[in-house]
Amino acid sequence: MSRSRREFLTAAGASGAALLAGCQAEPVDQETPTPTATEADGAGTTAGSPTPSGADTLVVATYPPFVNAPSTSPGAWLKRRFEEQFDATLVYQTPESELNYYLERAIQGVEFEADVYVGLNTGQLIDADDRRGEGQFTDPLFAEAGDVEGMDRLRDGLQFDPRNRAVPFDTGYISLVWNATMDGGEFVAPETFEALTESEYEGDLIAQNPASSSTGEAFMLHTIKEYGPDGFLDYWDRLQANGVTVLGNWTDSYTAYTNEEAPMVVSYSTDQVFAAAEDQDLQKHQIRFLNDQAYANPEGMARFADTDAPGLAGEFMSFMLQPEIQAGIAQRNVAFPAIQDAPLPEDYSRYAQEPPEPVTFTYDELQGNVDEWTDQWARRFAGG
Amino acid sequence: MDRSVGAALRRRVSRARRTARRVGRAVRRPGGADVLERRALPLLAVGTALLLTVLFYYPVATVLVESVREAGRLTFGPLVDVLTDEFYVVRVFGFTAWQAFLSTLASVALGLPGAWVLARFDFRGRETLKSLTMVPFVLPSVMVAVGFYATFGASGTLNDALGALGVGGVDLLPSLGAIIVAHAFYNAPLVTRVVTASWESVDAGAVETARSLGASPRRAFRDVVLPQLLPAVLMGATLTFVFTFASFPIVLALGGFQYATVEVFIYSAVQQLDYAEAAALAAVESAVSLTLTALYLRYERRQTAERRDVRPLPRERLVPESWRSAAAWTRERLVSRLAVAGYAAVVVVVFLGPILSMIYASLTVDGQFTLSAYRFLLRRQVSGAAFQVRPLPAVLNSLAFGVATLAVALPMGVSMAVLTTRRFRGRVALDALSMAPLAVSGIVVGLGLLRGLVFGVEAFGYRFSASGPAAIVAAHAVAAYPFVVRNVSPGLDGLDRTLVESARSLGASRVRALLDVELPLVWPGVVAGAAFAFALSVGEFDATVILAEGGNVYTMPVAVERYIGRRLGPATAMGTVLLAVTAASFVVIERVGGGFRG
């Protein structure tokens, strides 16, 4: 990266002219950016709250709900805490297409401003590695984490990157959520995968499309854990014969579940945290761990390899693992902390349930397989 | 209300003559402004072509090229793979076409009676109702899903009502039926809209002539009115088919993956970064849509009958003035009014049901009335962080983009309509190419915009890229102007050439003749096109999000999507704001637009 991004950002007090013009022409290879219609006025960019000159800036890329969820999201709080501890400004970038946005940029050879990506899962990391070699994407996207304070306190089994680039900062468990008030208050969710296919539960489950939803993917992977790559499609045949509904994403299915279309939905084991906070009937938010298991989906953060603020990015990753910050993220992102000793309030553990046995696929098990499995599943299920 | 368009037209023509004389005099002294005016149409056409190339053809080409190229060589491999795969050809494309066909039937069946009521009857609030027919068009699919579940779901309003009547409940969701009803919810208004516009330009004189020659009202309708409505009906049907062929979120939300369409598979392939397969599927999908569009255009060309001095059919009062007297209720009248009442009941269930359910969801939690969702909007507005989406800027941005889109799409659309109603070789091809933005999948356009525009193109040592408000407006205009063309050009095509020619021979420039003679005659089509363009801009999501990426120029639908969470409240409250703002805008567009007729 030849020209200084920071300089660009600082000069980017404002991108008005460019935004109004709507187009830009930037020199491809030059030492300093010629501010031909440079970015103008903070209103313009996400990266754009005006940066006080002199202060250092950290650009954190993440998925939109991390900063913008209607209930709670850790974004604003994290920014405040980080800026209190460090003499630096934290700026969020939240592209709708999440990590794909940066992968595309790497392939097209367009530089970007983000220093750290927050909210990475195993599948995304595999995508990032598989795409290397395409177009102008030659250098690694992420750097090794190196010395991150607090890594020794990480809970067992959360680290999903064999090459130690992504550091987990929280985790969620995909489980069934069920409604005990249905069937005239008689309904009880089954306890095993097998029981789920019994006629007693016909038409009772809503799941999600593994290709367009992370909960859907996790649930499919859980069935592969249980029945193996050769047996899971047959299991899904039985589920389909038993009237399982597969919708597009978590929102669609949770909406249908809330409207009592079915008494069970694939969702998160932290479901009661919201319900309790909203004074909703907890009978409608029961958790079931099939076979006493749940699929673990740890979320990680990683430093972009070509960040020009590697030091600050490293400090940010250590900051994210501080016990008090971990507790704050867990509560605001409604997930479980990644470290063992986060000081969580008591009622949090009452409502957020952990499975007796978390299961998950490793990076190596998923690589080269997950797309194949999803394709097979889609062809079998949609063809039905 | 019987508008004396004939008189208004005569006034305009004579004014055109006066202007023409003035202009004629001016022509002898060549002036810059005059040259500009005479060049205005070609210039607009060139501008349209440029915009189309930059914002549509180039980006889409960057994606589609992957369907025929492997490792830099032209192999057609991915395309062949898709076309020889029985699963894709039979299951995916077959099912996609089948559901689109059923959706089209449902939309036409639901939309046509609406056009009949709006075009043939007069009642209080008719104009407002006509404006509001556009509302479903802008509702984000996630809100439609929420409304459908609350209305047609297992424990929804419909089943409650049926239960209260002692009738057993129905389980509509999720099913193919639900997909089709939702598609009709979106597209029946489109059918209503274009058919109403065309019905309103049917010449009353022709019907009277037929009647005076002894044709029964039914016969006159069949022989005179119907042939003039048919192009509009087919256009509504074609558009509905094309849209529902590329339907994606509704299918997944209301039918589930069992009913996955080709667009669902394109999206999956994009998610897995498998662009070759995505591009191949999209290429086939676009080919189907474009072929249909071209077929329709050929048909439309053959249908045009020349018209002059259109005087619209008089409308009947829905409730006769002397409605108390039994004599006012002839059998025929009674039957038609019962039909209207029946249609109104269907409209209430299918259109009002989901919309009211959405508003209800914004006002309640667990059945208890609460304003907490609206308090959330206020709180977000007052104390939301700079990087969060706030409601007011979303409203203002949406309105600004809508107005700007109108300002760009109307001239583009009208000039393209004028251009393509001239007779020249390759006209249908040009017309089809200019209609392509309607027929190409949203996901492909979005991906193309991202790669072709947001990331930019390297040339001459510079990287040219486009994003931000201007790019958003341009993208909205490209997507919206075909609606203007399609609403305006059938009317223009049918106009009496001699009107234009006499204006021209008196010295009026092409533009002057267009503004003073042609446009007033096809004005209902222009207003309908404007409403579509505005609706498209307000409801657009993909291009807005992609082009605003890295910028916070978000719109109302973006805000709705961002407020989705475990609670329905915030998103439905924002959806209600979207509903209110756009409904008001449509009424304004229609009122302001209606004024032009004089």
Side-chain angles (χ1 to χ4, degrees):
Chain A
M1 193 161 79
S2 50
R3 67 191 176 76
S4 158
R5 173 192 57 83
R6 209 143 308 274
E7 207 178 317
F8 190 84
L9 262 189
T10 324
S15 54
L19 284 173
L20 281 178
C23 36
Q24 282 173 297
E26 286 171 32
V28 176
D29 268 315
Q30 253 174 277
E31 272 315 302
T32 43
T34 14
T36 50
T38 9
E39 321 250 308
D41 128 49
T45 43
T46 325
S49 31
T51 315
S53 55
D56 223 342
T57 307
L58 183 76
V59 181
V60 174
T62 186
Y63 53 92
F66 194 79
V67 301
N68 212 4
S71 40
T72 61
S73 55
W77 177 80
L78 271 182
K79 174 176 158 71
R80 204 166 54 242
R81 298 305 301 267
F82 182 75
E83 290 173 354
E84 276 165 19
Q85 274 191 40
F86 299 88
D87 182 22
T89 306
L90 194 159
V91 171
Y92 285 114
Q93 251 183 11
T94 55
E96 191 76 11
S97 44
E98 303 183 13
L99 189 68
N100 279 358
Y101 176 76
Y102 298 100
L103 289 178
E104 286 286 351
R105 298 214 133 206
I107 291 162
Q108 308 279 322
V110 184
E111 52 184 84
F112 51 81
E113 288 130 28
D115 299 303
V116 186
Y117 192 89
V118 168
L120 206 57
N121 65 25
T122 320
Q124 286 173 318
L125 196 63
I126 291 172
D127 280 342
D129 292 339
D130 285 352
R131 296 281 280 182
R132 230 180 107 190
E134 272 184 54
Q136 303 185 45
F137 185 11
T138 47
D139 298 333
L141 189 66
F142 293 116
E144 276 191 35
D147 258 349
V148 175
E149 221 175 292
M151 291 235 329
D152 50 334
R153 291 196 303 275
L154 281 177
R155 294 159 66 199
D156 288 339
L158 288 190
Q159 270 180 289
F160 58 87
D161 182 6
R163 279 183 265 163
N164 206 19
R165 294 155 301 175
V167 176
F169 67 89
D170 72 7
T171 185
Y173 301 101
I174 281 74
S175 63
L176 297 191
V177 171
W178 59 282
N179 183 342
T181 68
M182 286 190 73
D183 288 354
E186 297 282 294
F187 185 82
V188 178
E191 300 196 349
T192 61
F193 277 106
E194 278 305 308
L196 203 54
T197 62
E198 284 167 13
S199 57
E200 192 186 337
Y201 299 106
E202 192 180 342
D204 282 353
L205 177 65
I206 305 175
Q208 301 90 17
N209 176 8
S212 58
S213 147
S214 55
T215 48
E217 184 183 82
F219 187 65
M220 182 193 75
L221 291 176
H222 197 175
T223 62
I224 299 175
K225 267 277 177 205
E226 186 61 28
Y227 294 95
D230 300 322
F232 84 106
L233 291 174
D234 293 333
Y235 179 72
W236 275 94
D237 279 345
R238 287 195 281 146
L239 272 187
Q240 194 169 17
N242 207 28
V244 65
T245 298
V246 174
L247 299 181
N249 55 42
W250 180 85
T251 312
D252 296 337
S253 41
Y254 207 77
T255 304
Y257 173 75
T258 316
N259 280 293
E260 307 196 344
E261 285 300 318
M264 295 184 282
V265 65
V266 173
S267 184
Y268 301 93
S269 72
T270 43
D271 189 73
Q272 292 194 351
V273 175
F274 276 105
E278 296 273 312
D279 276 333
Q280 286 174 10
D281 184 358
L282 289 187
Q283 286 295 303
K284 296 181 177 176
H285 298 271
Q286 299 290 305
I287 307 298
R288 171 71 75 223
F289 296 119
L290 289 175
N291 299 7
D292 281 335
Q293 297 173 336
Y295 196 87
N297 240 354
E299 285 193 291
M301 54 187 166
R303 205 164 45 159
F304 284 110
D306 68 353
T307 166
D308 53 5
L312 194 58
E315 283 183 288
F316 173 79
M317 285 164 75
S318 298
F319 159 83
M320 290 280 280
L321 293 187
Q322 291 171 5
E324 189 240 353
I325 298 299
Q326 277 285 298
I329 295 174
Q331 291 173 72
R332 288 171 178 80
N333 212 25
V334 197
F336 291 90
I339 63 165
Q340 280 150 3
D341 48 358
L344 281 163
E346 216 157 90
D347 65 338
Y348 184 84
S349 57
R350 183 148 54 97
Y351 295 123
Q353 300 183 26
E354 281 186 84
E357 186 195 346
V359 297
T360 198
F361 276 109
T362 64
Y363 179 99
D364 294 325
E365 290 168 322
L366 285 182
Q367 194 180 30
N369 284 323
V370 65
D371 283 354
E372 180 68 30
W373 288 334
T374 311
D375 279 345
Q376 287 176 352
W377 178 90
R379 281 174 172 250
R380 184 73 77 93
F381 198 87
Chain B
M1 189 174 69
D2 185 40
R3 281 157 304 182
S4 50
V5 174
L9 174 73
R10 275 188 290 281
R11 269 204 308 282
R12 267 176 216 292
V13 171
S14 66
R15 206 174 70 203
R17 286 196 178 133
R18 259 178 279 133
T19 340
R21 263 178 242 127
R22 234 182 14 249
V23 173
R25 280 198 295 277
V27 169
R28 276 162 225 131
R29 294 174 280 113
D34 180 55
V35 172
L36 192 69
E37 195 185 51
R38 279 188 300 147
R39 296 270 171 265
L41 276 180
L43 277 176
L44 269 173
V46 170
T48 305
L50 273 177
L51 261 186
L52 268 182
T53 310
V54 173
L55 282 154
F56 181 77
Y57 279 106
Y58 172 72
V60 167
T62 61
V63 179
L64 292 189
V65 82
E66 305 216 13
S67 69
V68 293
R69 205 181 57 178
E70 281 170 309
R73 285 189 13 249
L74 198 66
T75 62
F76 293 94
L79 199 58
V80 172
D81 285 348
V82 161
L83 289 174
T84 52
D85 187 331
E86 196 195 334
F87 173 74
Y88 279 133
V89 175
V90 178
R91 163 60 188 81
V92 178
F93 279 101
F95 174 74
T96 306
W98 172 239
Q99 66 79 24
F101 172 72
L102 293 178
S103 300
T104 305
L105 282 187
S107 304
V108 171
L110 201 59
L112 273 187
W116 169 63
V117 173
L118 283 175
R120 302 299 304 122
F121 292 103
D122 213 3
F123 49 91
R124 276 173 75 99
R126 195 190 71 92
E127 288 291 328
T128 310
L129 188 67
K130 199 170 103 185
S131 311
L132 296 185
T133 52
M134 294 304 298
V135 162
F137 221 66
V138 299
L139 276 185
S141 59
V142 57
M143 293 292 99
V144 173
V146 168
F148 263 64
Y149 274 110
T151 311
F152 301 110
S155 59
T157 331
L158 183 65
N159 273 349
D160 287 353
L162 289 176
L165 292 171
V167 190
V170 288
D171 192 8
L172 257 179
L173 290 160
S175 67
L176 182 57
I179 296 178
I180 289 164
V181 176
H183 281 163
F185 173 87
Y186 271 118
N187 295 300
L190 184 136
V191 175
T192 300
R193 212 34 206 260
V194 292
V195 176
T196 306
S198 142
W199 212 322
E200 284 177 342
S201 18
V202 168
D203 188 12
V207 179
E208 282 156 15
T209 311
R211 295 277 283 131
S212 70
L213 291 171
S216 67
R218 189 166 301 178
R219 181 79 198 261
F221 177 80
R222 206 185 62 206
D223 290 352
V224 179
V225 181
L226 203 58
Q228 295 196 47
L229 297 188
L230 214 52
V233 176
L234 275 180
M235 174 192 140
T238 310
L239 286 178
T240 304
F241 190 91
V242 165
F243 290 157
T244 52
F245 194 71
S247 178
F248 161 56
I250 280 296
V251 167
L252 276 178
L254 294 177
F257 192 75
Q258 239 177 312
Y259 302 108
T261 54
V262 60
E263 193 84 344
V264 173
F265 282 89
I266 295 177
Y267 178 79
S268 293
V270 169
Q271 281 300 98
Q272 293 173 18
L273 305 171
D274 186 354
Y275 291 135
E277 181 167 306
L281 288 170
V284 179
E285 186 196 53
S286 309
V288 172
S289 298
L290 281 172
T291 308
L292 272 173
T293 314
L295 283 178
Y296 164 72
L297 289 170
R298 272 181 68 103
Y299 165 82
E300 188 190 272
R301 290 284 169 251
R302 275 193 264 122
Q303 286 310 302
T304 52
E306 290 218 331
R307 274 175 289 164
R308 62 157 74 204
D309 204 354
V310 178
R311 175 164 58 87
L313 293 161
R315 276 190 287 268
E316 217 180 319
R317 290 176 61 103
L318 190 61
V319 181
E321 217 150 336
S322 50
W323 60 278
R324 280 167 205 279
S325 80
W329 294 101
T330 58
R331 189 161 155 264
E332 200 179 318
R333 205 171 256 174
L334 202 63
V335 168
S336 68
R337 297 318 187 271
L338 279 177
V340 172
Y343 180 64
V346 173
V347 164
V348 167
V349 173
V350 176
F351 292 100
L352 272 186
I355 291 176
L356 290 179
S357 298
M358 184 198 81
I359 298 173
Y360 177 78
S362 76
L363 288 167
T364 50
V365 170
D366 273 350
Q368 301 291 310
F369 174 80
T370 169
L371 285 176
S372 67
Y374 294 90
R375 275 199 293 276
F376 162 82
L377 292 189
L378 264 183
R379 213 168 43 241
R380 199 35 88 77
Q381 177 61 36
V382 175
S383 58
F387 50 79
Q388 291 178 323
V389 166
R390 281 173 292 153
L392 191 61
V395 172
L396 297 178
N397 284 338
S398 276
L399 288 177
F401 287 144
V403 170
T405 299
L406 272 188
V408 182
L410 277 185
M412 268 172 82
V414 169
S415 57
M416 275 316 265
V418 171
L419 199 71
T420 53
T421 46
R422 288 188 181 173
R423 319 243 179 265
F424 57 88
R425 280 174 74 89
R427 189 173 63 147
V428 172
L430 180 78
D431 212 1
L433 282 178
S434 73
M435 286 297 117
L438 288 181
V440 174
S441 135
I443 289 168
V444 173
V445 176
L447 192 64
L449 284 176
L450 182 67
R451 303 207 297 178
L453 281 189
V454 176
F455 296 158
V457 195
E458 271 180 31
F460 319 112
Y462 280 83
R463 178 174 282 279
F464 297 91
S465 62
S467 60
I472 293 175
V473 169
H476 285 188
V478 164
Y481 93 96
F483 280 107
V484 181
V485 179
R486 282 279 69 76
N487 276 290
V488 173
S489 91
L492 275 185
D493 220 14
L495 276 189
D496 188 347
R497 296 277 130 200
T498 57
L499 283 175
V500 181
E501 275 151 23
S502 51
R504 296 293 308 267
S505 69
L506 288 164
S509 71
R510 187 72 192 82
V511 173
R512 180 67 47 211
L514 174 69
L515 291 180
D516 280 353
V517 181
E518 288 169 284
L519 274 191
L521 288 171
V522 296
W523 195 245
V526 178
V527 176
F532 275 118
F534 188 83
L536 200 129
S537 168
V538 169
E540 212 284 333
F541 179 75
D542 290 339
T544 313
V545 159
I546 287 170
L547 290 170
E549 206 128 50
N552 59 8
V553 274
Y554 44 82
T555 57
M556 290 191 282
V558 176
V560 169
E561 300 278 337
R562 289 288 157 89
Y563 291 159
I564 288 170
R566 234 165 265 250
R567 294 176 298 161
L568 282 178
T572 48
M574 191 63 217
T576 307
V577 171
L578 164 78
L579 193 74
V581 171
T582 45
S585 315
F586 291 139
V587 174
V588 169
I589 288 177
E590 218 89 34
R591 289 288 144 86
V592 172
F596 185 84
R597 265 170 171 263

